[in-house]
Amino acid sequence: MNTPSSGDRPIGPDFSEFGDVEKVAMPRVQQYAARFLAQNWTSIPHVTHHDEAEVDALEAFRKQLSVSEETKYTPLPFLLKAVAQLLLEFPRFNASLDSDGRHLLLKRYVHIGFAVDTPGGLLVPVIRDVDQKSLRELAEESAALSRQAREKGLSLAQMSGGCFTISSLGSIGGTAFTPIINAPELAILGVAAQRWRPCPPQDGAPDSIDWRLHLPLSLSYDHRAINGADAARFTRRLAELLARPAALT
Ligand code: CAO
């Protein structure tokens, strides 16, 4: 039962008036993330732009690669590879706001973080120089970092220096969400679960339907530095790159 003592001031209602309550400690990672997320959510003017990519070819290609090679390919390494290319094409997404409020600091390196759901809370390992790594290297490094995050945790150095973050909830589900920007980064890509949708046939044949696989994309950006048109161009180009997966190796 939660009975506040002197010095233990409740910040909300005393729920014990309504029934039994158990007080449990939040894991340290969660406590740290809570402070960081609250600060970012309240200090950054977020907008989330939603789009989707057709990924039939990507799905077939990654399954074929997973069979022919020993490495397992999920959509994540393809996203890392495509986003790395986009960060070079759209330098504003690979930047931070200068503290003087009048400049952008454009980064000449491409380090990308990705959110990992661990029993203790959310961790974000950063893969360095993603633009210089092969698809296979990215598949292996992201799998190794996810495993380490869940089993042993990560050092601060492994979670520092990111330019952009990817948060993929695709293996769990959902249609879209609003990821919170990982400051001092300016944007974060949320990915939900891919799903088959009926579409008009590409050859225009009447009375027929094509089923195509769609990957939902949710791009949150800092509106102080990035405009909606930039975000729409970014996700459209991402969809183009994901539609030609063989070029992403
Ligand atoms: N749609 C459908 N299936 C997907 C998918 C998507 N968008 N993305 C991945 N999958 C599939 C994978 O292909 C794999 O299936 P197969 O074994 O059949 O190939 C399965 O889901 C499991 O994938 P995974 O989770 O092991 O690997 P991953 O590379 O897709 O993701 C990681 C790794 C670390 C991103 C993920 O495990 C994770 O922790 N996600 C949660 C991140 C999170 O909590 N974000 C929220 C932050 S905001 O609060």
Coordinates of all heavy atoms in Angstrom, one line a residue, residues 17 19-20 34 48 95 99 114-115 126 132 176 178 180 191 209 212 219 228 233 238:
E17 N -6.5 5.6 -1.2 CA -7.9 5.9 -0.8 C -8.9 5.0 -1.6 O -10.0 4.8 -1.2 CB -8.3 7.4 -1.2 CG -7.7 8.4 -0.2 CD -8.1 9.8 -0.6 OE1 -9.1 9.9 -1.4 OE2 -7.3 10.7 -0.3
G19 N -7.9 1.9 -3.3 CA -7.6 0.5 -3.3 C -6.2 0.3 -3.0 O -5.4 1.2 -2.8
D20 N -5.7 -1.0 -3.0 CA -4.3 -1.4 -2.8 C -3.4 -0.9 -3.9 O -3.8 -1.0 -5.1 CB -4.2 -2.9 -2.6 CG -4.4 -3.3 -1.2 OD1 -4.5 -2.4 -0.3 OD2 -4.4 -4.5 -0.9
A34 N 13.2 8.6 -19.1 CA 12.0 9.4 -18.8 C 12.4 10.9 -18.8 O 11.7 11.7 -19.3 CB 11.5 9.0 -17.5
T48 N 5.2 15.1 -37.0 CA 5.5 13.8 -37.5 C 4.8 13.7 -38.9 O 3.6 13.9 -39.0 CB 4.9 12.7 -36.6 OG1 5.5 12.9 -35.3 CG2 5.3 11.3 -37.1
A95 N 22.2 17.1 -39.1 CA 22.7 18.4 -38.5 C 22.2 18.5 -37.1 O 21.3 17.8 -36.6 CB 22.2 19.6 -39.4
S99 N 24.1 26.4 -30.6 CA 23.5 27.0 -29.4 C 23.2 28.5 -29.6 O 22.4 29.1 -28.9 CB 24.4 26.8 -28.2 OG 25.7 27.2 -28.5
F114 N 19.8 3.2 -33.3 CA 18.5 2.6 -33.5 C 18.0 2.1 -32.1 O 18.8 1.7 -31.3 CB 18.6 1.4 -34.5 CG 19.5 0.3 -34.1 CD1 19.0 -0.9 -33.5 CD2 20.9 0.4 -34.3 CE1 19.8 -1.9 -33.1 CE2 21.7 -0.7 -33.9 CZ 21.2 -1.8 -33.3
A115 N 16.7 2.3 -31.9 CA 16.2 2.0 -30.6 C 16.1 0.4 -30.4 O 15.7 -0.3 -31.3 CB 14.8 2.6 -30.5
V126 N 24.6 3.3 -31.3 CA 24.9 4.0 -32.5 C 25.9 3.3 -33.4 O 26.9 2.8 -32.9 CB 25.5 5.4 -32.1 CG1 25.9 6.2 -33.3 CG2 24.4 6.2 -31.3
Q132 N 29.6 4.0 -45.0 CA 30.8 3.3 -45.5 C 30.7 1.8 -45.3 O 31.7 1.1 -45.5 CB 32.1 3.8 -44.8 CG 32.4 5.3 -45.2 CD 33.4 5.9 -44.3 OE1 34.3 5.3 -43.9 NE2 33.1 7.2 -44.0
A176 N 1.3 3.2 -37.2 CA 2.0 4.5 -37.2 C 2.2 5.0 -35.8 O 1.4 4.6 -34.9 CB 1.3 5.6 -38.0
T178 N 4.4 8.3 -33.2 CA 5.1 9.6 -33.1 C 6.4 9.4 -32.3 O 6.4 9.5 -31.1 CB 4.3 10.7 -32.5 OG1 3.0 10.7 -33.1 CG2 4.9 12.0 -32.6
I180 N 9.9 10.2 -30.6 CA 10.4 11.5 -30.0 C 11.8 11.7 -30.4 O 12.7 10.8 -30.3 CB 10.3 11.5 -28.4 CG1 8.8 11.4 -28.0 CG2 10.9 12.7 -27.8 CD1 8.6 11.3 -26.5
V191 N 9.3 3.2 -37.7 CA 8.8 2.2 -38.7 C 7.9 1.3 -38.0 O 8.2 0.7 -37.0 CB 10.0 1.4 -39.2 CG1 9.6 0.4 -40.2 CG2 11.1 2.4 -39.9
I209 N -7.1 -6.8 -58.8 CA -6.5 -6.1 -57.7 C -5.1 -6.7 -57.5 O -4.9 -7.9 -57.6 CB -7.3 -6.3 -56.4 CG1 -8.6 -5.5 -56.5 CG2 -6.5 -5.9 -55.2 CD1 -9.5 -5.7 -55.3
R212 N 0.0 -5.5 -52.6 CA 1.3 -5.1 -52.4 C 1.7 -4.8 -51.0 O 0.8 -4.4 -50.2 CB 1.6 -3.8 -53.2 CG 1.6 -4.1 -54.7 CD 2.1 -3.0 -55.6 NE 1.2 -2.8 -56.7 CZ 0.6 -1.7 -57.1 NH1 0.9 -0.6 -56.5 NH2 -0.2 -1.7 -58.1
L219 N 8.1 10.0 -39.8 CA 9.3 10.8 -39.6 C 9.0 12.0 -38.7 O 8.3 12.9 -39.1 CB 9.8 11.2 -41.0 CG 11.0 12.1 -41.0 CD1 12.3 11.3 -40.7 CD2 11.2 12.7 -42.4
G228 N 8.0 20.9 -43.5 CA 7.2 19.7 -43.9 C 7.5 19.2 -45.3 O 7.6 18.0 -45.6
R233 N 9.8 15.1 -48.9 CA 10.8 14.7 -50.0 C 11.7 13.6 -49.4 O 12.0 12.7 -50.1 CB 11.7 15.9 -50.3 CG 11.0 16.9 -51.3 CD 11.9 18.0 -51.7 NE 11.2 19.1 -52.1 CZ 11.0 20.2 -51.4 NH1 11.7 20.4 -50.2 NH2 10.2 21.2 -51.8
L238 N 13.1 8.0 -49.6 CA 13.4 6.7 -48.9 C 12.6 5.6 -49.5 O 13.1 4.5 -49.7 CB 13.0 6.9 -47.4 CG 13.1 5.7 -46.5 CD1 14.5 5.1 -46.5 CD2 12.7 6.0 -45.1

